[in-house]
């Protein structure tokens, strides 16, 4: 599969693309790079001349405060642009780190501009991706501010399963979430001890099995209810389950 295959999966689930539009996107010049788990992909305060799409693996946007405490503000999977907003902002205020071994492809901003100039409707398509990013951020903020830890974790699993299923990285209610409990704690704003306790509490519900990085969802509807999950914010036109 082409390195932009997962990105096309994401787009097709949200908007109809013509064969000409897909060919134009695939014509973009790009460079592939591999990263080991824990390696920085984008450094905070970088001035960007290209945008990065995850081809395989899991990455996270992160901010670190003056005390060295880390907060993940987004998780990114195959097909996701991690910094498309940098096409407009040029300098970004956060870093992006590989949480698993990752492969990424980098598209020069000049190539993105060429595509938009050639087919202006693709500018709206790419804008849609940044709008979905913002919607996911709003959902995360709501969970951080108002959800109990158990419901917040359930919400993250519902979202993650749908996003991975969309790019054929999860199926049959099973997913591999190659993130440590400490990294999950940094995503949910919990201490590592509270994170471990919350995972044990979720296991005890019987809604999921969770061994290492392997998660099996036994009761999807029950998990949705626990999370109070409404996937409207993911903006999926197609039914993917």
């Amino acid at each position: 599969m082409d390195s932009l295959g997962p990105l096309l999966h994401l787009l097709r689930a949200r908007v109809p693309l013509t064969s000409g539009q897909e060919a134009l996107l695939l014509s973009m010049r790009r460079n592939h790079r591999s990263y080991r788990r824990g390696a920085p992909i984008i450094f905070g305060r970088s001035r960007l001349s290209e945008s990065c799409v995850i081809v395989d693996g899991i990455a996270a946007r992160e901010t670190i405060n003056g005390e060295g405490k880390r907060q993940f503000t987004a998780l990114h999977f195959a097909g996701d642009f991690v910094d498309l907003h940098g096409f407009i902002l040029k300098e970004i205020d956060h870093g992006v780190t590989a949480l698993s071994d990752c492969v990424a492809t980098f598209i020069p901003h000049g190539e993105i501009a060429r595509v938009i100039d050639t087919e202006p409707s693709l500018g709206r398509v790419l804008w849609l991706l940044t709008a979905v990013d913002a919607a996911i951020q709003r959902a995360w903020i709501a969970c951080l501010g108002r959800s109990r830890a158990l419901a917040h974790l359930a919400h993250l699993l519902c979202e993650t399963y749908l996003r991975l299923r969309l790019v054929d990285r999860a199926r049959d209610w099973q997913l591999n979430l190659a993130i440590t409990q400490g990294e999950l704690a940094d995503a949910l704003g919990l201490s590592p001890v509270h994170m471990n306790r919350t995972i044990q509490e979720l296991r005890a519900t019987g809604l999921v099995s969770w061994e290492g990085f392997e998660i099996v969802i036994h009761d999807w509807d029950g998990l949705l209810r626990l999370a109070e999950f409404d996937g409207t914010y993911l903006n999926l036109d197609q039914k993917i389950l």
Side-chain angles (χ1 to χ4, degrees):
M1 176 182 290
D2 187 277
S3 62
L4 292 185
L7 172 63
L8 292 181
H9 275 301
L10 293 183
L11 292 175
R12 292 183 194 121
R14 294 183 169 107
V15 294
L17 292 176
T18 67
S19 58
Q21 287 173 324
E22 292 194 10
L24 186 57
L25 288 169
L26 291 172
S27 76
M28 291 189 295
R29 178 170 51 87
R30 51 199 183 273
N31 301 301
H32 308 314
R33 298 169 201 163
S34 297
Y35 297 89
R36 301 294 293 176
R37 180 186 186 93
I41 298 175
I42 306 290
F43 289 96
R45 308 291 296 193
S46 296
R47 295 190 64 83
L48 302 180
S49 61
E50 55 189 1
S51 286
C52 170
V53 179
I54 300 299
V55 177
D56 197 28
I58 304 174
R61 291 180 187 159
E62 66 176 11
T63 59
I64 300 175
N65 69 13
E67 297 177 355
K69 294 180 179 179
R70 179 172 67 175
Q71 176 69 48
F72 293 142
T73 58
L75 295 181
H76 288 293
F77 309 104
D80 287 347
F81 272 103
V82 303
D83 58 355
L84 187 56
H85 50 291
F87 177 65
I88 301 298
L89 299 178
K90 301 306 179 185
E91 182 176 344
I92 61 172
D93 59 356
H94 59 275
V96 179
T97 296
L99 298 189
S100 68
D101 291 348
C102 285
V103 177
T105 192
F106 288 78
I107 305 169
H109 286 169
E111 287 292 285
I112 296 175
R114 175 181 65 83
V115 163
I116 294 172
D117 289 343
T118 303
E119 179 62 81
S121 62
L122 286 176
R124 293 191 293 273
V125 170
L126 296 177
W127 186 10
L128 171 64
L129 294 181
T130 62
V132 171
D133 269 355
I136 291 173
Q137 290 270 267
R138 287 192 295 273
W140 277 42
I141 290 169
C143 285
L144 278 167
R146 296 301 181 192
S147 293
R148 295 182 301 114
L150 180 61
H152 190 178
L153 178 58
H155 195 281
L156 180 66
L157 289 187
C158 291
E159 176 189 299
T160 299
Y161 181 78
L162 290 175
R163 292 173 65 190
L164 290 176
R165 179 71 183 86
L166 191 60
V167 290
D168 295 326
R169 264 49 176 197
R171 59 180 59 85
D172 300 327
W173 309 113
Q174 300 178 55
L175 64 152
N176 181 290
L177 188 59
I179 301 176
T180 68
Q181 290 189 18
E183 289 162 344
L184 276 173
D186 287 339
L188 272 65
L190 302 174
S191 71
V193 171
H194 194 182
M195 187 72 253
N196 180 269
R197 190 162 57 240
T198 303
I199 291 173
Q200 298 303 327
E201 188 179 357
L202 182 60
R203 283 190 181 122
T205 66
L207 298 174
V208 305
S209 299
W210 192 328
E211 298 297 333
F213 295 147
E214 299 295 329
I215 301 171
V216 179
I217 300 172
H218 299 298
D219 184 349
W220 175 249
D221 289 337
L223 195 64
L224 292 176
R225 287 192 297 272
L226 175 60
E228 297 183 356
F229 185 83
D230 178 355
T232 303
Y233 69 97
L234 294 175
N235 196 56
L236 299 175
D237 287 339
Q238 299 180 12
K239 182 176 176 62
I240 64 172
L241 295 179

